[in-house]
């Protein structure tokens, strides 16, 4: 991904660990709504580069191709959103970056952290990066903390795993981090156990744990999915805030486009283990060039519009990852699918400035006034030979898609 | 994966991955199955997982064999069996009562495969030991079954009530369980068996069941406690479903796995308990015999006529081992969380 | 925490009282105590019945008798049996042997069972795991009395015969070496080649060692000697350090552990006269001193950065070195013990808890009780061993799939820290409850085991009482056994609460 987004280069990345004082100050400065616009812009420096990553799991039924060739670049201080349904390979690819996949996973490709390939490193070198340079925040804060150790111990443990410092120093650092993520009475809370925290507070602890070693990359795997809606925004805001406090880049994995909208500089959409669209978040959101992205955007319930117009779900379910259909994996569900879609799988092609999509019909989306309208239940399905973007309404759209997919096999 | 035809696809992710489902019509699904599992009824899924468990399968065959041998060989009550000797009839000692069963084929240098006149030999008064052991097996199995069924029934009811009603009911039932646990099972069983043993083996089985239900009660209670917090039970409660209906319609069908597993484990434990008690002289009383009694009776004969000691022991182990393996297979089958990671 | 214990105590007390009532009602009804007296000739019958009725209060209602028993029991008087002997005296005589047997079986079952269960879980679906699973199932299914009889008839006799002329046949050497080699290689993770190498070296090494021991007739007059003691202690230091903080020969932790081993070895010389025939108290004192000295070593050498791990490693190493020295002393006493006039070269006994009228040094007495305990303990602990193994394995596997273990890995902890600090710590919580469950089973098993091995201990005490319909000894047995069960349940509950903060604070 060589195309750089038109963003102004930010300040120089400060080297070395932030002193505790400045971290606390940073926490105080940003008190109210903290948005992407307020946060420090990305730098040109590439911290993480994933090249043609594939992950497979052997099972009784065959090799599950969970990830089929993912490439992306994460620059310092950048937020990259990865969006997809469950099973699209977004979590598996990030777990591969962390080196946390089960032993039976078959991983290929390259995962470069500052030009060092993590896949060919010795296990101990990889472990040294884990939690120190690349940290992770998990989906469910209720189960991600060990119930039998105090929060302070679990935070300190992360420091002690990488630094030869006295336990007391590690606990001091832990307290600073709790301050930073906005947990009141940090001194007291250090001695508390996870079950004494609410879900939102636990996720703050997880964030504190992720940033405690000033990492370069934070992988946040659906960090707000398990939380109350009211807490979600606070957590996201906090994430952006701490990102600037430690000058980290964030890999934001989610199925919720709403999360990405205010959070990510760039967005990668995944489907069936492959990236199908990547670009600046604004271009992807306002000019989707892949019907799946358009479908996802259409499936966000909106307050505007009337009746069926308010919610336009994508029909059908994602394909099997063992026996993928030939051609574009989205074609069975795609209202624009034609013969060519069922025969050849499209590659990512440049469709705009810093914007690439994998679709044979991206031009038709570009022409459409409202790309999400294709998923309207009454919208006409594109004819194989038809040029009309919008035709006469049909009533059997859904079943016809299925029939076509059947013929296509 | 066996292609099934008419059912709906359900999304079941494989270990470590999330996998979707496909929308292909049934006729096309044969090769395009992938990670999708075709919906089967709960029973079919359980059966499928059970038969994949090698230990369970072997246990099943072994148990079936022992059961068949014990029930058909010397018959039951008035029903005659295929073995012509009776466990009570004495006869002349042949060759010092040595077993005539041969299992080493001649080409391996053994004495040849043979069944013979007295396959398990004869005891000191010339009874056919095969018939005697079969009779002992019958009694031990019957007692163990009774214990298993009674213990599971009592344990399930107590556990389910304690788990569901909470409050006072739970407190009282769990204290009753605690009291039962406080008396060592073998001691409790020995006392009860001495009192009940005089009434015959059926009573013995039932009474032993009445002192061994605690494990099941705790298991079932734990399961019910977690079930009653589940959304579907809450949903049923919120629409005003009666407690009885919730128990029978929503909770019991979901604890059935735990219950079935605990029946098998209770039976395996009961075989050992009954034989242990009989060994001490508190279990099955003469003229009835059981595998445990046989071992006590012939313990001293061990150095001179070892077969009298071995055969009942082998049958006890065969029964307990096969039932344990069946239980393990059932547990795996009912509890998909323990599904093995395939690699 | 204190209120928790107090509440727990209160509930236990009531449960225990209720159980004693149930037990009493059963005990007085188990058999008619007058049945023998009724068969006496006319003249003696009435007198005998009257005497028994008087002694056992048979003319009172059951509940009155219960409260009479309870009142007496509370003052420490357990009544008299049918023959009029004091139950207290009988109990005191029978009690120690059973406690010895139960303690040995419980401790061994817990240590071996948990260790094997953990290893089995860490190497899930390996050959080791499958073997352990199968053996555990077999152990579950073995009748104690059958195994006991087999051990007694074959192992004891054959082992004693063998000890007369302790030479190992080449086939036996080969078999033992291959089994140990297989066990070692299956513990490893790694590719086929490393495992084959490990298998090869362990098997060959073991075979050579066994051959040397056999050729020098070591088994007839065993002992370790200072070189073996030193090597073992150092190996222990390295192993414990690896376990506590990872293998690093330059770390203060390693230095502390090695220092502990060195101090231990020096002490074995310095304390030579004391160790020649110590008392149990001396040994206990030595243990306490060892822990104290090692704590100091760890504290001092570990410094601020490594204090915790250094102290742990030093104490473990110190105790281990002590155990090695203890073993050496025992082994050294073996030849003299075996030649003793009351033993006559048959050290593995099959009857009773100790050799009657045997007297010797501390070590010889230990060997004597060891020789008597080894077979009954083996028979008794098989079932518990299987239970602990299976349960630990299941618990560990469950924990290994938890999210917080993944978090621990994501922090960059090494595998050792993940396993010890997260998996093991959490996996042991449910295992504590097993201790309470298991003690009841063990007590039952002990009654049977004692019968097999002809021990005049608690088991016989109980079975005789049931046979004769004699309630007072039964109640005494219940007081001890039920008391143990209640106590273990409480310990388990408190341990659970101690290990799991979610319970502790609620």
């Amino acid at each position: 991904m060589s195309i750089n987004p038109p963003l102004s280069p930010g300040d120089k990345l400060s080297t070395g660990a932030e002193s505790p004082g400045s971290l606390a100050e940073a926490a105080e400065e940003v008190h109210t709504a903290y948005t992407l616009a307020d946060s420090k812009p990305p730098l040109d420096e590439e911290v993480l580069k994933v090249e043609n990553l594939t992950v497979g799991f052997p099972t009784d039924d065959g090799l599950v191709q969970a990830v089929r060739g993912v490439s992306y670049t994460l620059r310092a201080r950048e937020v990259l959103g990865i969006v997809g349904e469950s099973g699209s390979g977004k979590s598996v690819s990030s777990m591969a970056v962390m080196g946390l996949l089960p032993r039976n996973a078959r991983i290929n490709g390259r995962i470069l952290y500052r030009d060092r390939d993590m896949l060919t490193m010795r296990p101990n070198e990889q472990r040294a990066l884990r939690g120190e340079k690349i940290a992770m925040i998990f989906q469910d804060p209720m189960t991600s903390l060990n119930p039998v150790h105090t929060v302070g111990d679990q935070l300190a443990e992360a420091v002690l795993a990488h630094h030869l410092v006295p336990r007391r120093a590690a606990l001091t650092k832990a307290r600073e981090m709790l301050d930073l993520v906005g947990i009141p009475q940090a001194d007291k809370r250090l001695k508390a156990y996870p079950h004494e925290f609410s879900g939102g507070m636990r996720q703050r602890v997880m964030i504190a744990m992720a940033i405690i070693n000033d990492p370069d990359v934070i992988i946040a795997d659906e960090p707000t999915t398990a939380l109350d809606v009211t807490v979600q925004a606070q957590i996201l805001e906090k994430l952006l805030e701490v990102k600037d406090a430690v000058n980290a880049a964030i890999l934001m994995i989610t199925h919720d486009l709403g999360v990405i909208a205010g959070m990510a500089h760039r967005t990668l959409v995944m489907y069936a283990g492959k990236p199908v669209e990547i670009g600046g978040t604004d271009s992807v959101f306002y000019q989707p060039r892949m019907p799946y992205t358009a479908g996802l955007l259409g499936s966000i319930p909106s307050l505007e519009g009337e009746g069926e117009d308010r919610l336009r779900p994508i029909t059908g379910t994602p394909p099997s990852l063992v026996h993928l259909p030939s051609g574009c994996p989205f074609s069975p569900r795609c209202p624009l699918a034609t013969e060519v879609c069922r025969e050849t799988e499209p590659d990512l092609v440049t469709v705009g400035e810093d914007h690439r999509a994998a679709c044979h019909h991206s031009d038709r989306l570009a022409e459409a006034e409202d790309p999400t309208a294709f998923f309207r239940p009454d919208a006409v399905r594109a004819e194989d030979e038809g040029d009309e973007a919008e035709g006469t309404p049909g009533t059997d759209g859904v079943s016809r898609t299925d029939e076509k997919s059947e013929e296509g096999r | 994966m066996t292609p099934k035809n008419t059912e709906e696809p359900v999304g079941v992710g494989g270990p470590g991955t999330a996998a979707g489902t496909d929308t292909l019509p049934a006729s096309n699904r044969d090769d395009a199955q992938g990670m999708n599992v075709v919906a089967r009824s709960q029973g079919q899924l359980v059966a499928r997982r059970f038969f994949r468990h090698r230990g369970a399968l072997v246990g099943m065959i072994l148990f079936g064999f022992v059961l068949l041998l014990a029930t058909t060989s010397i018959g039951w009550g008035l029903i005659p069996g295929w073995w012509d000797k009776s466990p009570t009839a004495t006869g002349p000692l042949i060759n010092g009562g040595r077993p005539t069963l041969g299992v080493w084929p001649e080409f391996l240098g053994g004495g040849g495969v043979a069944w013979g006149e007295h396959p398990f030999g004869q005891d000191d008064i010339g009874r056919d030991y095969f018939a005697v052991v079969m009779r002992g097996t019958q009694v031990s199995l019957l007692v163990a079954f009774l214990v298993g069924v009674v213990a599971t029934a009592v344990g399930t009811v107590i556990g389910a009530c304690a788990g569901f009603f909470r409050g006072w009911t739970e407190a009282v039932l769990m204290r009753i369980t605690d009291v039962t646990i406080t008396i060592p099972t073998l001691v409790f069983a020995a006392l009860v068996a001495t009192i009940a043993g005089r009434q015959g083996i059926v009573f013995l089985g039932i009474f032993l069941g009445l002192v061994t239900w605690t494990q099941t009660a705790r298991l079932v209670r734990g399961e019910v406690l977690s079930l009653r917090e589940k959304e579907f039970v809450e949903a049923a409660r919120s629409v005003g479903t009666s407690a009885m209906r919730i128990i029978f319609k929503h909770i019991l069908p979901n604890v059935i796995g735990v219950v079935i597993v605990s029946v098998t484990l209770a039976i395996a434990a009961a075989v050992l308990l009954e034989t242990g008690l009989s060994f001490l002289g508190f279990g099955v009383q003469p003229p009835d015999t059981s595998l445990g009694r046989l071992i006590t009776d012939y313990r001293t004969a061990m150095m001179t006529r070892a077969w009298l000691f071995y055969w009942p022991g082998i049958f006890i182990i065969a029964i307990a081992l096969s039932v344990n393996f069946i239980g393990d297979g059932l547990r795996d089958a009912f509890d998909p969380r323990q599904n093995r990671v395939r690699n | 925490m204190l209120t928790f214990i107090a509440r727990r105590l209160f509930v236990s007390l009531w449960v225990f009282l209720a159980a004693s009532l149930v037990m009493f009602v059963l005990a007085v009804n188990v058999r008619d105590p007058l049945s023998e007296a009724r068969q006496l000739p006319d003249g003696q019958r009435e007198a005998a019945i009257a005497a028994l009725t008087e002694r056992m209060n048979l003319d009172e209602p059951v509940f009155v008798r219960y409260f009479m028993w309870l009142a007496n029991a509370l003052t420490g008087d357990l009544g008299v049996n049918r023959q009029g002997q004091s139950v207290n005296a009988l109990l005191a005589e029978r009690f120690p042997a059973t406690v010895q047997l139960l303690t040995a079986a419980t401790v061994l079952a817990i240590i071996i069972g948990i260790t094997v269960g953990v290893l089995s879980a860490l190497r899930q679906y390996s050959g080791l795991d499958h073997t352990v699973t199968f053996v555990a199932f077999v152990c579950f299914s073995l009748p104690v009395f059958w195994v006991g009889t087999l051990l007694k008839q074959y192992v004891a006799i054959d082992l004693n015969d063998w000890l007369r002329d302790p030479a190992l046949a080449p086939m036996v050497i080969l078999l033992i070496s291959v089994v140990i080699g297989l066990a070692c290689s299956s513990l490893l993770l790694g590719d086929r080649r490393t495992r084959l190498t490990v298998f090869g070296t362990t098997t060959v090494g073991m075979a050579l060692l066994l051959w040397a021991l056999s050729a020098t007739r070591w088994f007839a007059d065993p002992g370790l000697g200072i070189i073996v003691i030193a090597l073992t202690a150092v190996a222990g230091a390295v192993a414990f350090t690896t376990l506590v903080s990872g293998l690093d020969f330059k770390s203060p932790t390693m230095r502390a552990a090695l220092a502990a081993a060195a101090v231990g070895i020096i002490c074995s010389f310095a304390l030579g006269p004391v160790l020649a025939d110590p008392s149990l108290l001396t040994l206990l004192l030595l243990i306490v001193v060892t822990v104290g000295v090692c704590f100091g070593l760890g504290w001092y050498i570990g410094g601020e950065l490594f204090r915790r791990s250094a102290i742990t490693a030093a104490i473990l190493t110190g105790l281990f070195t002590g155990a090695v020295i203890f073993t050496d002393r025992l082994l050294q006493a073996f030849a003299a013990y075996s030649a003793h006039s009351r033993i006559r070269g048959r050290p593995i006994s099959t009857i009773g808890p100790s050799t009657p009228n045997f007297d010797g040094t501390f070590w010889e007495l230990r060997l004597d009780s060891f020789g008597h305990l080894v077979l009954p303990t083996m028979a008794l602990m098989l079932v518990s061993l299987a239970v602990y193994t299976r349960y630990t394995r299941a618990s560990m596997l469950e924990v290994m799939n938890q999210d917080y273990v993944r978090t621990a890995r994501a922090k960059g902890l090494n595998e050792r820290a993940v396993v010890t600090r997260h998996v093991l710590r959490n996996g042991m919580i449910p295992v504590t409850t097993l201790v309470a469950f298991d003690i009841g089973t063990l007590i039952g098993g002990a009654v049977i085991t004692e019968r097999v091995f002809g021990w005049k201990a608690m088991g016989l005490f109980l079975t005789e009482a049931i046979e004769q319909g004699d309630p007072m000894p039964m109640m005494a047995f219940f007081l001890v056994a039920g008391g143990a069960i209640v106590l273990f349940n409480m310990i388990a509950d408190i341990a659970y609460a101690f290990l799991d903060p979610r319970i502790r604070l609620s």
Side-chain angles (χ1 to χ4, degrees), chain A residues 57 60 64 317-318 320 322-323, chain B residues 17 21 23 31 34-35 52 342:
Chain A
F57 296 97
D60 287 356
V64 176
T317 48
S320 150
V322 178
H323 305 281
Chain B
T17 58
T21 53
T23 51
D31 288 316
M35 286 294 287
R52 276 179 140 185
R342 300 164 227 163

Side-chain angles (χ1 to χ4, degrees), chain A residues 140-347:
Chain A
D140 191 351
M142 305 308 275
T143 57
S144 293
L145 288 165
N146 191 329
V148 307
H149 295 298
T150 61
V151 163
D153 276 344
Q154 294 188 58
L155 286 169
E157 194 179 47
V159 178
L160 295 172
H162 300 283
H163 304 276
L164 201 57
V165 293
R167 229 180 82 81
R168 221 174 313 124
L171 280 170
T172 314
K173 181 93 178 164
R175 189 180 49 72
E176 283 161 18
M177 289 303 127
L178 288 186
D179 271 337
L180 181 64
V181 296
I183 290 180
Q185 293 178 293
D187 263 329
K188 236 163 120 194
R189 298 308 246 168
L190 277 182
K191 294 189 194 78
Y193 290 93
H195 69 270
E196 298 168 74
F197 288 71
S198 68
M201 283 295 163
R202 288 194 213 187
Q203 198 60 304
R204 282 170 197 256
V205 172
M206 289 302 290
I207 294 175
M209 190 182 287
I211 58 168
I212 200 162
N213 288 322
D214 293 338
D216 286 342
V217 180
I218 299 171
I219 301 176
D221 188 357
E222 311 237 4
T224 56
T225 308
L227 300 175
D228 279 354
V229 185
T230 46
V231 184
Q232 288 186 0
Q234 295 171 21
I235 293 292
L236 292 176
E237 207 176 281
K238 194 48 85 181
L239 256 178
L240 278 183
E241 212 182 298
V242 300
K243 155 184 123 53
D244 286 344
V246 299
N247 285 310
I250 296 183
L251 204 59
M252 184 77 168
I253 296 151
T254 183
H255 65 265
D256 184 353
L257 285 170
V259 167
I260 297 287
M263 272 292 286
H265 297 109
R266 304 174 71 229
T267 296
L268 168 69
V269 183
M270 282 186 73
Y271 187 79
K274 256 199 158 158
V276 292
E277 182 155 9
I278 182 167
T281 302
D282 285 352
S283 352
V284 172
F285 272 55
Y286 295 113
Q287 293 115 38
R289 291 292 175 266
M290 161 72 194
Y292 177 64
T293 317
L296 280 181
L297 288 163
S299 61
I300 302 175
S302 75
L303 294 174
E304 297 130 41
E306 304 250 326
E308 285 175 327
D309 209 24
R310 292 172 58 169
L311 182 65
R312 288 171 289 228
I314 309 174
T315 55
T317 48
S320 150
L321 293 173
V322 178
H323 305 281
L324 283 157
S326 63
C328 174
F330 187 59
S331 58
R333 306 168 71 186
C334 182
L336 296 174
T338 58
E339 207 48 56
V340 64
C341 298
R342 284 166 219 126
E343 276 157 14
T344 43
E345 187 166 7
D347 288 322

Side-chain angles (χ1 to χ4, degrees), chain C residues 172-245:
Chain C
V172 178
I173 292 182
L174 192 71
L175 201 71
I176 298 175
S177 314
V178 167
V179 168
I180 291 179
L182 274 179
C184 287
S185 66
S186 63
L187 280 178
L188 277 179
L189 272 185
D191 54 32
R192 194 173 290 266
R193 246 189 72 198
T194 32
R195 292 167 71 151
L196 268 179
T197 321
V198 169
F199 171 72
T201 37
T202 347
T203 309
V204 171
M206 202 61 213
L208 284 174
L209 178 70
L210 286 175
W211 175 79
L213 291 179
S214 170
T216 53
R217 296 186 57 79
W218 180 84
F219 294 105
D221 184 9
L224 295 180
I226 187 59
I227 296 172
V228 178
I229 293 179
L231 284 179
T232 319
V234 169
V238 174
F240 286 122
T241 312
T242 312
L243 208 64
V244 173
S245 73

